[in-house]
Amino acid sequence: MTVNNQQRTKLGLIIGISSLFAAYFFAFGLFLPYFPVYLKDLAFTPVQIALIVAIPNIVRIVATPVMTGISDRAGRRRLSISIFAIVCAVAFGVIANVNTYALMVAVVVVMSIFLAPLQPLSDAYAYEAVKSRGLDYGVMRSWGSAAFIAATMFGGWYLGLFESVQLVYFMVVGLVVMAVLSLQLPGMPSEHRKAAQGAADEGHAKGELQRLELHIVLFAGGLTLGSMAGLFSFGSIFWLSHGISDTNVGLLWSAGVLAEISVFLLGGRLLGRIGPLGFMLIGAIGGILRWIVFPHADTFGSALVVQLMHGVNFGMTHLGMMAFLAEVVSGKRLGTAQGLSQTYIGLFTGVAGITAGWIYEVNPTYAFYAMAVVAAGGSIVLGLFWARLRRFSGEVPAG
């Protein structure tokens, strides 16, 4: 293959992965901030809303490692993404036509089983491309964040004119596009059935996936990212209750993701200096500060400033965790490892989300203070095990 052909192939892969992220995060950018608003329009209580919003996080505790493990063992990562996305699209179509609480819970549970593995499988595919083709994960992932911004801004504008239920159908469109795009991507080495089966036969990843240090890092990352449950459940509702317009709510979500994009685009250089664990610790500390200040930022200007902390809180934690996993886990098991990380995140996000619902009914301010406590847990875990983690990360290149 000539140099020009190699460059075109590489560019095509970059565009394909970037588009895959964009399709997923367009759907997710509507789901995350506006699904609670749709539930509120159905007259569900804050506790009911918190429970439904927490379901995907609770379900993925079990569903993610199971579904990603099935995909890795089958060696059909791209096909798995396509099938799971289609099932999710159908489920959202049903959700748009449900108005009773019990039925909503049942459908969301089913939807969550297939939603859970979409991001970890996409991340696994992308990071295998990083390792095998020399691509930049941050650049490709930033297109997903850009699509998230577009979705939140679109959703905020749309809510000012139309009913929230109609946004659910746009989620369906994003998932269908994702399903189609995944089948257009080229295969990676681990997706060959023989290679995948070899990975499954080697003691089911006992050496790689059962290391204590790995679980310490994922536990800490799960706490840090789980602290965002209050934002996911009540961020939009909190801002709307303080007179911030629908359009400006969309801008606030977009501002946070812009900060996230900046970290993804520029974080590679810092990651090489600070290392994955250092990135995660900074993200946890940023989370503590963010949630302490959040309930007092009740104007658009002040909320905008706080939302820019998302780049530190989420961006650095996510990038650090992804870089850590890519360095310590082989491509054959990367999907399963990503699923394992989502199990920790789902556990803490689910528990924190339900807790936030109870507390929010009493006092919204205390609900966000509780999220600061969860983020503090992540920083404490990393701090207490810092010496041991540094010895472990000494085996891992910082970049």
Side-chain angles (χ1 to χ4, degrees):
M1 183 181 293
T2 66
V3 174
N4 287 338
N5 285 338
Q6 289 177 338
Q7 291 176 340
R8 282 196 293 269
T9 300
K10 186 175 180 179
L11 178 60
L13 183 56
I14 292 172
I15 293 173
I17 296 174
S18 299
S19 300
L20 185 73
F21 279 133
Y24 171 78
F25 280 101
F26 179 81
F28 195 63
L30 294 174
F31 173 73
L32 187 61
Y34 300 120
F35 188 55
V37 177
Y38 168 57
L39 297 176
K40 184 174 182 292
D41 288 345
L42 293 177
F44 294 156
T45 68
V47 171
Q48 290 176 322
I49 293 171
L51 177 60
I52 292 175
V53 172
I55 286 173
N57 297 304
I58 295 172
V59 168
R60 68 174 169 170
I61 295 171
V62 176
T64 309
V66 171
M67 301 296 274
T68 54
I70 291 172
S71 176
D72 279 357
R73 287 193 295 273
R76 296 292 185 268
R77 191 171 289 163
R78 293 167 297 145
L79 180 60
S80 298
I81 292 173
S82 182
I83 292 173
F84 298 161
I86 288 295
V87 175
C88 283
V90 172
F92 273 115
V94 175
I95 285 171
N97 293 280
V98 169
N99 54 22
T100 62
Y101 184 70
L103 187 55
M104 178 67 75
V105 169
V107 178
V108 170
V109 168
V110 175
M111 178 275 294
S112 300
I113 293 172
F114 294 91
L115 180 68
L118 286 179
Q119 184 177 348
L121 287 177
S122 299
D123 277 328
Y125 181 91
Y127 248 114
E128 187 172 2
V130 169
K131 296 172 71 173
S132 64
R133 309 291 174 86
L135 307 185
D136 187 324
Y137 172 83
V139 171
M140 296 184 294
R141 177 62 172 76
S142 67
W143 283 99
S145 300
F148 187 97
I149 290 177
T152 55
M153 294 184 68
F154 169 75
W157 168 81
Y158 201 89
L159 278 181
L161 301 173
F162 305 103
E163 296 180 356
S164 57
V165 64
Q166 296 172 13
L167 289 178
V168 180
Y169 290 110
F170 285 101
M171 299 175 201
V172 172
V173 173
L175 289 165
V176 170
V177 172
M178 183 185 190
V180 173
L181 288 172
S182 65
L183 297 178
Q184 310 305 312
L185 294 170
M188 289 289 128
S190 69
E191 289 189 283
H192 298 298
R193 183 178 297 274
K194 184 177 179 180
Q197 186 61 46
D201 290 340
E202 295 171 10
H204 295 285
K206 288 183 178 179
E208 289 184 322
L209 301 181
Q210 294 186 9
R211 299 171 73 171
L212 174 62
E213 296 86 348
L214 173 65
H215 288 269
I216 292 172
V217 173
L218 295 182
F219 185 91
L223 281 170
T224 301
L225 296 179
S227 73
M228 289 188 288
L231 176 70
F232 297 159
S233 298
F234 299 108
S236 295
I237 294 172
F238 178 83
W239 291 322
L240 290 169
S241 71
H242 284 83
I244 298 175
S245 69
D246 293 326
T247 300
N248 282 340
V249 167
L251 289 174
L252 287 173
W253 284 97
S254 300
V257 183
L258 275 175
E260 171 189 314
I261 290 174
S262 299
V263 172
F264 288 153
L265 292 177
L266 305 175
R269 296 178 182 178
L270 287 175
L271 190 61
R273 297 179 182 178
I274 301 174
L277 302 179
F279 252 48
M280 292 179 65
L281 183 57
I282 293 173
I285 295 172
I288 298 171
L289 298 176
R290 183 185 186 186
W291 305 127
I292 289 175
V293 176
F294 188 96
H296 305 289
D298 54 7
T299 66
F300 176 71
S302 59
L304 179 63
V305 173
V306 174
Q307 273 298 90
L308 293 177
M309 297 177 68
H310 187 74
V312 174
N313 180 204
F314 174 81
M316 295 188 76
T317 303
H318 177 79
L319 193 57
M321 185 180 294
M322 294 303 100
F324 182 85
L325 287 176
E327 294 295 345
V328 301
V329 179
S330 67
K332 297 175 182 179
R333 301 181 182 118
L334 196 51
T336 306
Q338 295 285 357
L340 185 60
S341 73
Q342 294 299 311
T343 294
Y344 280 99
I345 296 169
L347 172 64
F348 293 117
T349 303
V351 173
I354 293 174
T355 303
W358 291 331
I359 300 175
Y360 194 92
E361 256 191 336
V362 177
N363 190 315
T365 297
Y366 294 159
F368 291 105
Y369 285 169
M371 299 304 99
V373 173
V374 177
S379 64
I380 290 171
V381 170
L382 282 174
L384 289 176
F385 290 94
W386 182 249
R388 182 168 186 172
L389 292 176
R390 288 194 66 181
R391 287 197 299 273
F392 182 52
S393 65
E395 304 169 14
V396 182

